[in-house]
């Protein structure tokens, strides 16, 4: 029951959302479970809005707990925005092109009040050939990389990007693509640097994806970003689709050119289902009409529950052009510590075995 | 940890009395409305500060440039009290905002 209630909070104020909020305050046990989900899913802004509107009855203690969690959440958002301003200054100073992704951009361009859209890290997309330079810029701000690159050049050729941490423990994700795996390999991230939408943080104008790019990215992130769909990314899709204006034809054309229409259609359907939205808008009608092929379903399945990095890597091979590139990709993985993990899925193990045969001197361990 | 802004300083007279300057939020400030006030963070600040009560009312009014007298009147209106009751508080708060770089003066 508490999970459904959290989904109802995630859908709060969305046109056509039919999940009901409680008619009286939850008892202690229910509240405790529900509030845990709300905090973990970063829904405190929407919960506080519902409580303030009188749509979600609470005890005084529950309302205070929600308010305190929201203050904490906004505290983090402001500190991250302060960091973002410094990062963008650095990237601009080094002539690195970039697009700010997700939280800070959605908070200001997609939601009517930025307090409704908390975020816990910074995500920045940079062109693949500027990834190393961008990483250097991040390091000059004191950020460091906890997980090293698999192999020199892997990130800018095949990787999703790189994760950095600041001394204060904040995470910065530098992206080359939206996602790892087959759909990440298919996308031509260069398309996203042709134009940009501006937004302002702390008096500084910065660049994010166009409205169409934001919508496609929201779908990628919500559907493929985690094995279990998370509520706030689903809300992002519905928020963009229902309350902002963008060119659906241009967005689906972008997805089509990346062979990723199935990602967008499935993500929209999933958002509409999880958030129980009745209202049919142009985007949801298109998603309902789209027929996902068997091949597309197969590609989507590598992002599902129980899938691993290597399974996604194995599935990526078909989307990498040229034997030389495929070979370089496989060689990078063969030297990767993740490939030596016990209990690899059978398909990934077959790929791994094949890689070792291809590599001179790579005997079985 | 979030700290709370408290200010009792009295704003010194400044500007041309014939054309009094107006106060407005600094665009460099990061801020969010939260349930019990407004969280604010300046470019060089280590942590956000929480402004609550009449301070949050002042912050809302500083969205557009506003003269000191008009600001005091508006706050008094909003809180339904006499101007004299809020005058010192508002002046002190504005002085604090200026010291922190949260509010600036414009013609």
């Amino acid at each position: 029951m508490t999970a459904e209630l959290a989904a109802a909070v995630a859908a709060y104020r969305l046109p056509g959302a039919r999940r009901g909020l409680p008619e009286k305050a939850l008892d202690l046990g229910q509240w405790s479970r529900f509030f845990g989900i709300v905090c973990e899913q970063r829904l405190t802004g929407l919960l506080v809005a519902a409580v303030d509107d009188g749509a979600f009855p609470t005890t005084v203690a529950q309302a205070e707990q929600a308010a305190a969690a929201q203050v904490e959440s906004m505290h983090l958002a402001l500190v991250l925005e302060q960091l973002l301003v410094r990062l963008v200054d650095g990237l601009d100073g080094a002539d690195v092109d970039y697009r700010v992704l997700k939280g800070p951009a959605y908070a200001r361009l997609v939601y009517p009040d930025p307090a409704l859209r908390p975020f816990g890290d910074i995500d920045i997309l940079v062109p693949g050939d500027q990834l190393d330079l961008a990483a250097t810029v991040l390091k000059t701000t004191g950020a460091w990389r906890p997980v090293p690159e698999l192999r020199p050049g892997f990130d800018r050729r095949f990787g999703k990007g790189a994760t950095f941490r600041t001394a204060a423990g904040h995470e910065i994700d530098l992206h080359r693509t939206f996602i790892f795996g087959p759909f990440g390999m298919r996308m031509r991230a260069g398309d996203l640097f042709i134009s940009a939408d501006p937004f302002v943080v702390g008096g500084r104008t910065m660049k994010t994806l166009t409205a169409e790019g934001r919508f496609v990215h929201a779908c990628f992130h919500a559907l493929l970003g985690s094995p279990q769909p998370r509520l706030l990314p689903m809300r992002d899709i519905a928020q963009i689709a229902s309350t902002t204006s963008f060119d659906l034809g241009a967005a689906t054309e972008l997805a089509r050119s990346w062979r990723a229409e199935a990602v967008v259609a499935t993500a929209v359907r999933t958002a509409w289902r999880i958030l129980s939205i009745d209202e049919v808008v142009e985007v949801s009608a298109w998603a309902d009409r789209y027929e996902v092929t068997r091949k597309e379903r197969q590609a989507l399945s590598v992002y599902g529950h129980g899938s691993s990095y290597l399974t996604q890597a194995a599935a990526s091979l078909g989307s990498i052009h040229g034997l030389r590139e495929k070979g370089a990709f496989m060689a990078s993985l063969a030297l990767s510590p993740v490939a030596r993990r016990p209990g690899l899925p059978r398909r990934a193990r077959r790929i791994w075995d094949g890689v070792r045969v291809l590599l001179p001197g790579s005997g079985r361990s | 940890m979030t700290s709370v802004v408290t200010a009792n300083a009295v704003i010194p007279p400044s500007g041309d009395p014939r054309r009094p300057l107006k106060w407005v939020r600094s665009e460099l400030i990061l801020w969010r409305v939260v349930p019990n006030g407004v969280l604010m963070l300046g470019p060089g600040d280590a942590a956000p500060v929480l402004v609550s009560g009449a301070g949050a009312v002042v912050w809302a009014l500083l969205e557009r440039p506003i003269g000191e007298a008009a600001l005091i009147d508006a706050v008094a209106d909003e809180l339904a009290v006499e101007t004299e009751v809020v005058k010192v508080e508002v002046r002190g708060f504005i002085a604090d905002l200026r010291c922190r770089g949260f509010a600036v003066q414009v013609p």
Side-chain angles (χ1 to χ4, degrees), chain A residues 48 52 66-68 70-72 74-75 77-79 81-82 85-86 107-108 113-115 117 119 201-204, chain B residues 1-3 26-50:
Chain A
V48 163
D52 280 355
Q70 173 65 354
V71 171
E72 188 109 334
M74 291 300 101
H75 185 293
L78 293 184
V79 170
E81 285 189 343
Q82 188 187 51
V85 170
R86 285 207 307 274
R108 289 166 186 276
D113 175 359
R117 183 50 168 90
F119 44 92
V201 176
R204 199 193 198 295
Chain B
M1 286 297 292
T2 301
S3 59
S26 163
E27 61 175 16
L28 303 180
I29 304 309
L30 300 162
W31 59 276
R32 290 285 194 285
V33 175
V34 291
N36 43 357
V38 182
L39 271 181
M40 299 180 192
L41 182 68
D45 295 346
V49 292
L50 177 65

Side-chain angles (χ1 to χ4, degrees), chain A residues 38 53 63 77 82 95 168 185 187 191 193 267 270 275 281 305 317 339:
Chain A
V38 164
D53 292 349
Q82 188 187 51
D95 276 335
M185 298 294 178
M187 64 178 279
D191 296 345
F193 289 95
T270 308
L275 302 176
V281 296
H305 196 65
L317 270 177

Side-chain angles (χ1 to χ4, degrees), chain A residues 16-30:
Chain A
R18 61 179 159 81
R19 274 196 199 278
L21 294 170
E23 287 173 6
K24 59 184 175 62
L26 302 179
D27 67 34
L28 196 62
Q30 289 172 327

